[in-house]
Amino acid sequence: MTTYPLLDRIESPADLRQLDRKDLQPLADELRGFLLESVSKTGGHLSSNLGTVELSVALHYVYNTPEDRVVWDVGHQTYAHKVLTGRRKQMSTLRHYKGLSGFPRRSESEFDTFGTAHSSTSISAALGMAIGAQRDGIARKAIAVIGDGAMSAGMAFEALNNAGVADSDLLVILNDNEMSISPPVGALNKHLSRLLSGRLFNGAREIGKRFLEQLPPPVFELARRTEEHVKGMMMPGTLFEEFGFRYFGPIDGHDLEALVPMLQNLRELKGPLFLHVITRKGQGYKLAENDPILYHGVAKFDHTEGIATGASKVAGKLTYTQVFGDWLCDMAKANPRLVAITPAMREGSGMVRFEQEHPDRYFDVGIAEQHALTFAAGLACEGAKPVVAIYSTFLQRAYDQLIHDIALQNLPVMLAIDRGGLVGADGATHHGAFDLSFLACVPNMLIMAPSDEDECRKMLTTGFLHDGPSAVRYPRGSGCGAKPDPALTPLPIGKAQLRRQGRRVALLAFGSMLGPALEAGERLDASVVNMRFIKPMDLDMLSNIAKSHELIVTLEENSVIGGAGSEVARALENLGVAIPMLRLGLPDQFIDHGEQSQLHKEIGLTAEQIYERISARLASIEPIV
């Protein structure tokens, strides 16, 4: 069994700050070894966390956390932070039901100062904390650690623009692990960065500034511009300086001998500061260093052997993501107007093959969901047929663009919405719980939810051929195993499918809930309808069902408030039909992380629970004689 003599002494950052500086790198090595061993047993995000070990150690060593506020962004780079802040013994429960979250969570620890699972929020939050402390007269530091591409989002630059003129003590650390950016991080650069952060240089800089301010304005402006041009030739920080930050770096984020004194110097400075840190995803584990994407999010594996890359390709059920990826390539061959857009989710959305086969029609816009949708709208204006592949939980970030730029103009943009419903271990921040609710109220939308893999492919074709905005919303993982028809065949729009004829009760199932609806329907001798379309609905089917049944039950893996069941109720009201209804779906609460089956049981959506809930409701209804 692996031993960790230094790590065993760390129950909190206060213990860390008792160590000698010379012990910090050995501690970091132990911490990295522990993370590799732990995550290989639980699954989770690996590459990004191996890359932030030294940065986590340095921050908690230099700053008085949690009194000083550290906001991590994106949240999946915080495992080392969790271990150092008293949660090491709980790491075996990471992302498991009732266990540790895979992201920072305020209710989990006082050291998690802000919940961050969607990216690019840290600078805004940390600025709010800095100004809050300033208003209360508290000498507290606020640090935003932003990385994994999160600087590509507009929100990060909105915050920089505000922070640069806010006159508050804010440190933004860019954890730059993109290997395409390779600035020098050697001895000279380390020396310059340490010099620029030191008291002597900054004191001299302030004295020089005060002297130059006494000179005529043209002379002062010439001196200021000269300084900026010289710095711009030496280092890549001019952009951040223009935002009003003092820029330091780039610095090697794995060199504690550089990191610690740099942070100690910065802790003494006032105003908005920007530190550029270069790290490597997968640092210290060669397999992850060589393939950080494969080791980004991992299931359980043997870390001594590595991930068997062929294991996930064993014949079995297709995932909905794979169905989409295959359809995308097939439709692109059939229709040259198709273009595909993703906000930095190439692998997760199943677009690797499409990029390889159609690089000129593939657009990864970075973590910029708002831009992705308006960019798609612009393409549609010029005759293209854009397909935007996006997770349900990330689509929330582009709601105004969906309404204002796509739906209002009735543009033919199709949204391929992955991870609709409960996603499992990523929890409340990533469950696709609200998309049917916020899509259904938008005019001009065509909205579909497939019950199996074949239906998913047909719906994708339906949405793509539709002359207006459309959305196909499918769940994480696999369906029932239905083999997709290779033909690009659309469905008749707005037509439901009666899957079982029964009596008294009609179960109207949307998307993933068809399986449990059929199972419960057998026990109840109920009718079961695969609704397929949330908008428009099959009004003829609804009318006929309402006339021949005593109770209508809607089932959806979406918030029951404002979701598909609400649309059924609205449609029946418009038809002038009054019939008892039972709407089953996600409750009015944020649902935690865990296996999908565990979560379905917790909220009462297993087939057995559906049967029991309907039986209880039926008992209160007088049967029609």
Side-chain angles (χ1 to χ4, degrees):
M1 183 176 179
T2 309
T3 59
Y4 304 101
L6 284 171
L7 193 57
D8 286 343
R9 294 161 55 184
I10 308 301
E11 295 293 334
S12 74
D15 299 323
L16 171 63
R17 291 189 279 270
Q18 297 303 311
L19 295 180
D20 290 332
R21 271 258 301 269
K22 63 181 178 58
D23 291 327
L24 295 185
Q25 189 58 58
L27 172 67
D29 295 338
E30 288 185 15
L31 179 52
R32 180 171 283 109
F34 172 79
L35 287 177
L36 179 57
E37 183 178 22
S38 178
V39 176
S40 69
K41 294 176 181 177
T42 63
H45 293 97
L46 183 61
S47 296
S48 54
N49 285 292
L50 295 178
T52 56
V53 169
E54 285 84 5
L55 185 55
S56 302
V57 170
L59 281 169
H60 284 296
Y61 185 78
V62 172
Y63 287 93
N64 183 31
T65 56
E67 176 62 21
D68 289 332
R69 311 298 201 221
V70 179
V71 181
W72 291 89
D73 176 7
V74 289
H76 64 229
Q77 60 178 344
T78 56
Y79 293 3
H81 158 78
K82 286 178 181 278
V83 172
L84 294 172
T85 54
R87 287 168 276 180
R88 178 185 165 193
K89 293 177 182 176
Q90 298 170 270
M91 286 296 288
S92 60
T93 70
L94 183 74
R95 291 161 47 92
H96 290 183
Y97 188 61
K98 304 293 186 182
L100 283 183
S101 170
F103 304 101
R105 173 183 277 183
R106 283 172 55 84
S107 61
E108 188 177 287
S109 170
E110 63 178 337
F111 291 93
D112 291 357
T113 59
F114 197 77
T116 50
H118 288 188
S119 78
S120 314
T121 59
S122 60
I123 304 175
S124 299
L127 176 61
M129 293 173 182
I131 291 179
Q134 188 179 55
R135 285 171 54 85
D136 292 337
I138 300 172
R140 174 189 296 140
K141 300 296 182 179
I143 304 99
V145 184
I146 185 166
D148 261 22
M151 276 300 300
S152 66
M155 185 175 177
F157 285 89
E158 291 173 15
L160 286 175
N161 187 53
N162 185 195
V165 296
D167 191 30
S168 59
D169 292 339
L170 172 68
L171 170 62
V172 175
I173 299 177
L174 172 58
N175 174 30
D176 182 355
N177 55 23
E178 293 296 328
M179 297 308 295
S180 60
I181 303 172
S182 303
V185 291
L188 176 60
N189 186 72
K190 184 191 305 183
H191 171 72
L192 286 172
S193 297
R194 194 176 287 175
L195 173 67
L196 290 172
S197 68
R199 291 182 179 178
L200 178 63
F201 174 85
N202 282 280
R205 188 174 190 248
E206 289 302 315
I207 292 171
K209 180 181 177 182
R210 288 196 295 270
F211 170 74
L212 289 171
E213 284 174 343
Q214 307 304 313
L215 299 176
V219 178
F220 172 75
E221 182 63 18
L222 175 63
R224 187 191 68 80
R225 289 180 177 273
T226 301
E227 179 199 23
E228 293 303 320
H229 282 297
V230 170
K231 288 174 68 179
M233 289 187 290
M234 295 174 62
M235 54 186 59
T238 306
L239 170 66
F240 304 107
E241 294 268 1
E242 291 296 330
F243 273 110
F245 283 74
R246 263 196 261 179
Y247 173 90
F248 304 95
I251 189 172
D252 185 348
H254 301 300
D255 183 354
L256 283 165
E257 288 302 310
L259 266 178
V260 170
M262 168 66 79
L263 291 174
Q264 288 172 331
N265 284 334
L266 294 180
R267 197 174 191 280
E268 301 304 315
L269 299 181
K270 298 291 185 179
L273 311 170
F274 193 100
L275 174 61
H276 188 171
V277 172
I278 306 296
T279 63
R280 183 173 187 176
K281 273 193 165 186
Q283 174 73 12
Y285 183 51
K286 289 299 180 184
L287 294 173
E289 288 179 9
N290 294 334
D291 196 343
I293 294 174
L294 177 64
Y295 287 87
H296 171 71
V298 300
K300 297 178 185 179
F301 74 103
D302 183 348
H303 66 277
T304 62
E305 298 290 334
I307 296 173
T309 54
S312 62
K313 299 179 182 179
V314 176
K317 293 181 182 179
L318 284 173
T319 66
Y320 282 100
T321 303
Q322 290 169 326
V323 171
F324 166 72
D326 291 341
W327 171 86
L328 190 65
C329 293
D330 293 344
M331 183 57 81
K333 292 176 183 176
N335 192 319
R337 294 168 61 201
L338 182 150
V339 293
I341 301 163
T342 177
M345 293 303 295
R346 182 189 67 165
E347 290 78 19
S349 293
M351 302 176 74
V352 174
R353 179 183 153 207
F354 180 85
E355 183 199 19
Q356 294 168 347
E357 295 182 4
H358 303 282
D360 58 327
R361 296 156 71 180
Y362 168 81
F363 301 94
D364 184 344
V365 300
I367 302 177
E369 294 88 356
Q370 295 168 298
H371 164 62
L373 265 64
T374 304
F375 173 56
L379 282 164
C381 286
E382 300 305 315
K385 291 282 285 185
V387 176
V388 180
I390 191 167
Y391 286 12
S392 169
T393 187
F394 299 149
L395 179 59
Q396 297 164 185
R397 295 160 65 93
Y399 192 47
D400 180 65
Q401 286 69 29
L402 170 66
I403 295 173
H404 185 273
D405 300 336
I406 294 176
L408 181 63
Q409 303 184 94
N410 203 28
L411 291 170
V413 175
M414 188 180 85
L415 304 175
I417 305 174
D418 205 335
R419 270 67 166 179
L422 301 179
V423 299
D426 281 337
T429 56
H430 283 64
H431 292 319
F434 309 109
D435 52 75
L436 296 184
S437 298
F438 68 67
L439 288 171
C441 63
V442 180
N444 293 333
M445 288 297 303
L446 169 64
I447 310 168
M448 298 164 276
S451 63
D452 63 36
E453 298 88 338
D454 179 57
E455 203 165 68
C456 183
R457 183 176 172 94
K458 287 182 170 65
M459 287 181 176
L460 290 165
T461 300
T462 306
F464 181 77
L465 297 178
H466 178 63
D467 189 23
S470 61
V472 182
R473 186 254 202 184
Y474 45 91
R476 179 179 183 268
S478 303
C480 63
K483 185 176 180 181
D485 183 346
L488 295 169
T489 307
L491 295 173
I493 290 178
K495 291 301 178 183
Q497 177 190 47
L498 181 65
R499 291 292 298 267
R500 188 185 191 281
Q501 182 64 60
R503 61 187 186 86
R504 294 198 72 191
V505 183
L507 278 64
L508 310 186
F510 293 87
S512 61
M513 295 308 298
L514 180 61
L518 286 168
E519 190 175 335
E522 283 292 328
R523 295 186 62 184
L524 292 160
D525 190 21
S527 296
V528 179
V529 181
N530 176 18
M531 289 300 290
R532 289 180 165 174
F533 292 85
I534 293 87
K535 193 175 183 181
M537 283 195 174
D538 190 335
L539 299 183
D540 290 337
M541 178 70 78
L542 287 181
S543 180
N544 292 334
I545 285 291
K547 291 175 184 177
S548 55
H549 294 78
E550 302 164 32
L551 174 66
I552 286 180
V553 181
T554 60
L555 298 122
E556 60 187 302
E557 202 169 337
N558 182 85
S559 172
V560 77
I561 298 178
S566 295
E567 283 299 290
V568 170
R570 186 176 68 87
L572 289 171
E573 182 182 9
N574 290 340
L575 289 170
V577 175
I579 183 173
M581 280 189 66
L582 175 62
R583 285 181 281 171
L584 302 181
L586 305 186
D588 183 23
Q589 66 187 63
F590 289 109
I591 300 167
D592 215 338
H593 56 272
E595 294 291 335
Q596 287 162 295
S597 58
Q598 292 173 312
L599 301 180
H600 285 144
K601 185 175 181 180
E602 179 182 291
I603 61 176
L605 284 184
T606 66
E608 175 66 26
Q609 291 168 315
I610 290 168
Y611 166 78
E612 292 172 353
R613 294 171 75 177
I614 295 173
S615 297
R617 182 60 183 273
L618 267 177
S620 66
I621 298 175
E622 289 292 330
I624 297 175
V625 179

